[in-house]
Amino acid sequence: MITVSSTTSTVDSGLFDSILPLFSARFGIDVRVVAQGTGQALDTARRGDADVVLVHARAAEEKFVAEGFGVARKPVMYNDFVLIGPKADPAGIKGMSDVAQAFAKIAEKRIPFVSRGDRSGTHSAELALWRAAALDVEAIRGPWYREIGQGMGAALNVAGAMGAYVLSDRGTWLGFKNRGDLDILVEGDRRLFNQYGVILVNPAKHPHVKAAEGQIFIDWLAGPEGQRAIGDYKIGGRPVFVPNADAPGA
Amino acid sequence: MQAQSSVLPLSVSDLGFETDGRALLSGVSFSLPQGGITAVVGPNGAGKSLLLRLCHGLLTPSSGTVRWAAGDGVLGGRKRHAMVFQKPVMLRRSVRANMDHALAAAGWDAGSRAERSQAALSRFGLAALADRPARLLSGGEQQRLAVARAWALAPEVIFLDEPCSNLDPGATVRIEAMLAELAAEGVTLMMTTHDLAQARRSAGRVLFLDRGDLVEDASAETFFDAPRTAQARAFLRGDLLW
Amino acid sequence: MTFTDALAAALDLVLGLDPRFTEVVGLSLRVTLSAVFLAAVIGLPLGALLGIARFPGRSGVIVLVNAMMGLPPVVAGLLLFLLLSRSGPLGSLGLLFTPGAMIAAQTLLVLPIVVALTRQTVEDLWTEYRDHLHSLGMTGARAVPTLLWDARFALATALLAGFGRASAEVGAVLIVGGNIAGYTRTMTTAIALETSKGDLALALGLGFVLLVLTLFVNGAAYGASRIGARAAG
């Protein structure tokens, strides 16, 4: 039995429900997944309350390893972020190919925007996009910018309820059932790329960490079997994550 | 040294009790020998009930002593005096369970309990009510259960605090008859009452309290026919009534 | 999403007897009933002692216990999380993210309710029984079993109140349990999860099931205590 601290996106999208039974059947190792925002998931591992972390915020992951809390970071898969908003599209960004420009238009028109505000991987990706649009979100923030401090699903619920824009990972969006008036308005920009990495918690820091079993899980996830399982997971016929353990520099 | 077979007589000497600096009882001395019914009478607030509680050990005297002839009122591991309260305390259980509870608390082992309990219920006419919830009995039945429960503990002395104050005349007669029977069997009874007729009917001895003082300690006959003090005379006339 | 959808989802769950669903219901009941049981074992004697004992600072303790009834579940969860975390003082127990941690958290929430209500009930009863029990030589802690037994029907209500608080809360179990599928996922954390996945019909359906379960437990306890109370007078 190992404990994996991961992000809400991997759990809410249903990925783990799909692939974990394959792993457990093969190795007889139970995997327990605690879903949190990326920052919180890394903190959980820092305290030694997890054996493996699977998150998506490369800089934070590399810091985690550099601090000695993790053994090594391995790329696993990616999905992409999509900019969601009301079908009426009051900011007029539908179909734009430059996501930074779309962000700038939302800010300019003060159209409601829901931010996760929870130090998650999606939150840091959102902040990076404001920077890419050359905007200082702290300076321009107003009532239109709503930080909710909750998970991805909750953010989508809020955005739907108030006709706001929101940045979401594609996996959660595909698994999300309460779409209402929301739709994908901007996608495909390279900057929306969302890489997931997996890290074994350092047994030198936390001796009770189940290093051997954790390593088996990581090797499986990054190996051909796990990679195939990830690629095979589809919602409504659409793949949710793209396995890329072997992609250089991912 | 000869083994004591009785906790009596009870010697009360110079007994005083005060709360918040107010003396509710002071300088009370008397001896309670074995046998008979002693009535404690006096106006409301004279300290009658308090005196019983002090004798029974529910309260600690502020001054003076309550001394039993043997073992602090306990012989053979059992407390030899029991008390029946003005408003009988009925546990939220059946009549029989009330009886069992008292016996168990007093240290009777499970084997002898059932038999003793049954004997007490039969003797006081409660056998037919044994499985009824005690709190659903009538006032008279509850008081009978309280007396039976006290008797079951095989005490030498039973203190009774206004045992008939809440009862109708029929139930009062029944309780009085029971008490007379107990006295005839040698159980020493000491009871407070505000019912002078009852005191005259039942008691052989009267302790008359007024404002915390023991004013008269006399045979019932003397007290009712030729009271020594002006206070007692006034009380009997009804002058100082509550 | 309509209420009809939610009702249909609830019916589907109950009639389908999906093992993942029954597992969640079973865990919810197990965690909550264990917590209520533990809180009863600890809280009933403690509350009774508090009801009959007189000591300096007693009023302060009573106010504290009463106030603890309003302890936010999230705070209870967080406290326990910090205690049970591997980096916390009780980390070596390895309890975090297990049903054991959830039971501990809910015990923490139920305990003040049991203690406070027991204290009140027993104190009232003690006023009535004190002379008689004293007369029988039952003073102090020796009086506790009698008082608890005779207050049993009122205390059943206290335990039900505790059950209600535990079965309804999500904050504490989410934090210390981690909402792990098939392991620490309860009715309430599942409802929170389905809400965040946008499956509001399923979330509300689970809510209906939880409501019915709670109704059932309360109804059974109420009926039992009514019958018992009638028999005991």
Side-chain angles (χ1 to χ4, degrees):
Chain A
M1 196 276 293
I2 57 171
T3 303
V4 176
S5 75
S6 186
T7 64
T8 49
S9 53
T10 54
V11 174
D12 288 4
S13 66
L15 173 71
F16 275 126
D17 284 345
S18 159
I19 66 168
L20 288 183
L22 301 174
F23 172 75
S24 297
R26 171 94 154 73
F27 293 97
I29 298 173
D30 256 358
V31 181
R32 291 175 182 164
V33 183
V34 180
Q36 299 164 326
T38 287
Q40 215 189 342
L42 286 169
D43 281 348
T44 296
R46 246 184 214 106
R47 271 189 304 269
D49 293 320
D51 305 303
V52 173
V53 218
L54 176 66
V55 292
H56 58 100
R58 185 157 176 182
E61 292 162 37
E62 281 167 350
K63 179 161 172 271
F64 180 83
V65 174
E67 286 166 353
F69 288 105
V71 175
R73 172 186 176 275
K74 228 174 195 181
V76 176
M77 61 192 183
Y78 70 89
N79 67 352
D80 58 344
F81 292 114
V82 287
L83 185 52
I84 309 278
K87 291 195 179 104
D89 189 19
I93 58 170
K94 188 171 169 64
M96 289 176 75
S97 57
D98 184 332
V99 67
Q101 268 183 31
F103 265 59
K105 271 190 110 167
I106 293 170
E108 183 193 325
K109 298 195 169 172
R110 300 280 189 268
I111 310 289
F113 182 93
V114 172
S115 167
R116 292 275 296 275
D118 62 350
R119 291 197 304 135
S120 58
T122 309
H123 186 212
S124 42
E126 175 216 315
L127 294 178
L129 288 173
W130 291 115
R131 281 194 298 275
L135 290 168
D136 178 355
V137 80
E138 288 306 318
I140 61 165
R141 65 186 304 157
W144 62 277
Y145 185 80
R146 316 260 163 93
E147 271 191 337
I148 64 162
Q150 295 183 66
M152 196 65 253
L156 286 169
N157 274 327
V158 173
M162 57 193 209
Y165 292 89
V166 61
L167 185 70
S168 172
D169 64 282
R170 189 184 293 274
T172 305
W173 170 253
L174 287 175
F176 188 70
K177 298 220 174 68
N178 187 32
R179 291 184 186 176
D181 193 36
L182 296 177
D183 205 353
I184 295 180
L185 298 179
V186 176
E187 60 187 321
D189 189 313
R190 288 290 302 163
R191 283 169 291 190
L192 290 172
F193 184 85
N194 182 26
Q195 177 68 43
Y196 285 75
V198 67
I199 306 170
L200 179 69
V201 178
N202 193 349
K205 281 266 187 197
H206 294 290
H208 59 267
V209 164
K210 302 198 179 74
E213 289 167 305
Q215 194 60 52
I216 294 175
F217 178 62
I218 290 172
D219 292 346
W220 178 81
L221 211 54
E225 235 177 277
Q227 293 281 294
R228 196 178 326 116
I230 291 170
D232 283 349
Y233 178 57
K234 296 191 173 74
I235 299 176
R238 300 194 53 177
V240 184
F241 295 93
V242 181
N244 70 340
D246 300 323
Chain B
M1 199 177 105
Q2 199 181 334
Q4 287 281 355
S5 59
S6 171
V7 297
L8 290 170
L10 168 69
S11 313
V12 171
S13 69
D14 203 24
L15 186 64
F17 187 84
E18 54 182 63
T19 74
D20 302 330
R22 234 157 43 88
L24 301 180
L25 207 64
S26 54
V28 173
S29 301
F30 66 92
S31 170
L32 188 69
Q34 199 269 325
I37 299 182
T38 299
V40 181
V41 302
N44 271 0
K48 307 185 292 283
S49 177
L50 187 59
L51 177 62
L52 249 56
R53 282 159 192 271
L54 284 161
C55 290
H56 189 47
L58 297 184
L59 296 170
T60 311
S62 307
S63 58
T65 55
V66 172
R67 188 173 293 127
W68 298 89
D72 243 358
V74 178
L75 268 186
R78 296 215 178 114
K79 192 170 174 180
R80 303 305 301 272
H81 50 110
M83 185 155 173
V84 173
F85 297 94
Q86 179 168 10
K87 186 177 181 311
V89 178
M90 295 288 111
L91 304 189
R92 286 153 175 78
R93 313 171 183 214
S94 71
V95 169
R96 189 190 303 282
N98 263 273
M99 200 68 89
D100 283 344
H101 176 268
L103 288 165
W108 292 61
D109 62 64
S112 52
R113 239 168 20 226
E115 202 181 321
R116 183 67 182 168
S117 164
Q118 187 56 45
L121 292 173
S122 307
R123 161 160 194 169
F124 292 93
L126 294 164
L129 304 175
D131 296 319
R132 295 264 299 277
R135 293 164 61 81
L136 298 187
L137 300 182
S138 72
E141 289 163 341
Q142 290 196 357
Q143 197 56 281
R144 247 193 293 153
L145 172 54
V147 173
R149 201 168 54 182
W151 175 82
L153 305 176
E156 289 181 52
V157 184
I158 301 178
F159 297 105
L160 303 110
D161 191 5
E162 301 281 2
C164 302
S165 67
N166 297 318
L167 303 185
D168 60 53
T172 302
V173 167
R174 198 155 176 190
I175 296 283
E176 281 181 18
M178 279 164 37
L179 297 181
E181 243 180 80
L182 291 179
E185 286 165 21
V187 181
T188 307
L189 303 177
M190 181 167 164
M191 71 171 177
T192 65
T193 177
H194 67 271
D195 178 353
L196 293 177
Q198 179 177 54
R200 197 194 276 269
R201 278 194 303 273
S202 322
R205 177 188 182 191
V206 171
L207 300 179
F208 170 58
L209 291 179
D210 187 24
R211 291 184 205 131
D213 296 324
L214 177 55
V215 179
E216 289 208 28
D217 174 357
S219 74
E221 208 169 286
T222 311
F223 179 75
F224 286 111
D225 296 342
R228 239 173 350 95
T229 60
Q231 282 150 289
R233 280 194 294 276
F235 173 67
L236 288 172
R237 271 202 314 275
D239 283 1
L240 275 179
L241 277 183
W242 40 91
Chain C
M1 205 270 315
T2 63
F3 281 93
T4 330
D5 294 337
L7 276 173
L11 272 178
D12 263 7
L13 286 172
V14 174
L15 297 179
L17 281 182
D18 181 336
R20 279 187 305 181
F21 166 70
T22 51
E23 219 174 68
V24 164
V25 174
L27 180 71
S28 288
L29 283 177
R30 199 180 108 211
V31 167
T32 300
L33 290 176
S34 305
V36 171
F37 174 78
L38 281 177
V41 167
I42 304 167
L44 291 176
L46 218 58
L49 280 175
L50 191 56
I52 64 176
R54 295 292 176 273
F55 54 90
R58 176 173 181 268
S59 311
V61 174
I62 289 173
V63 170
L64 184 73
V65 170
N66 289 348
M68 289 282 285
M69 287 199 286
L71 179 70
V74 178
V75 175
L78 192 57
L79 282 174
L80 218 62
F81 177 87
L82 294 173
L83 276 178
L84 295 179
S85 167
R86 286 288 182 178
S87 303
L90 300 179
S92 56
L93 298 177
L95 268 180
L96 195 63
F97 303 143
T98 67
M102 299 158 82
I103 291 172
Q106 294 202 338
T107 304
L108 203 61
L109 292 175
V110 177
L111 192 58
I113 294 183
V114 175
V115 172
L117 297 183
T118 304
R119 197 274 306 166
Q120 184 63 59
T121 305
V122 165
E123 193 169 327
D124 293 345
L125 198 60
W126 177 235
T127 313
E128 184 189 331
Y129 282 11
R130 179 172 43 213
D131 283 339
H132 176 58
L133 295 184
H134 248 156
S135 172
L136 294 171
M138 285 184 147
T139 54
R142 280 199 62 202
V144 167
T146 301
L147 291 166
L148 286 180
W149 178 252
D150 278 39
R152 58 199 179 277
F153 302 113
L155 296 179
T157 309
L159 295 184
L160 276 184
F163 176 85
R165 173 143 151 108
S167 67
E169 77 87 22
V170 59
V173 284
L174 191 58
I175 294 178
V176 302
N179 191 25
I180 299 169
Y183 185 54
T184 58
R185 182 161 299 165
T186 65
M187 301 283 287
T188 54
T189 60
I191 290 169
L193 178 66
E194 293 307 333
T195 303
S196 79
K197 284 160 80 170
D199 199 340
L200 303 191
L202 183 55
L204 198 56
L206 280 162
F208 283 144
V209 175
L210 180 60
L211 203 62
V212 169
L213 265 179
T214 309
L215 269 174
F216 179 77
V217 169
N218 274 276
Y222 183 73
S225 82
R226 273 296 288 273
I227 292 166
R230 208 169 298 140

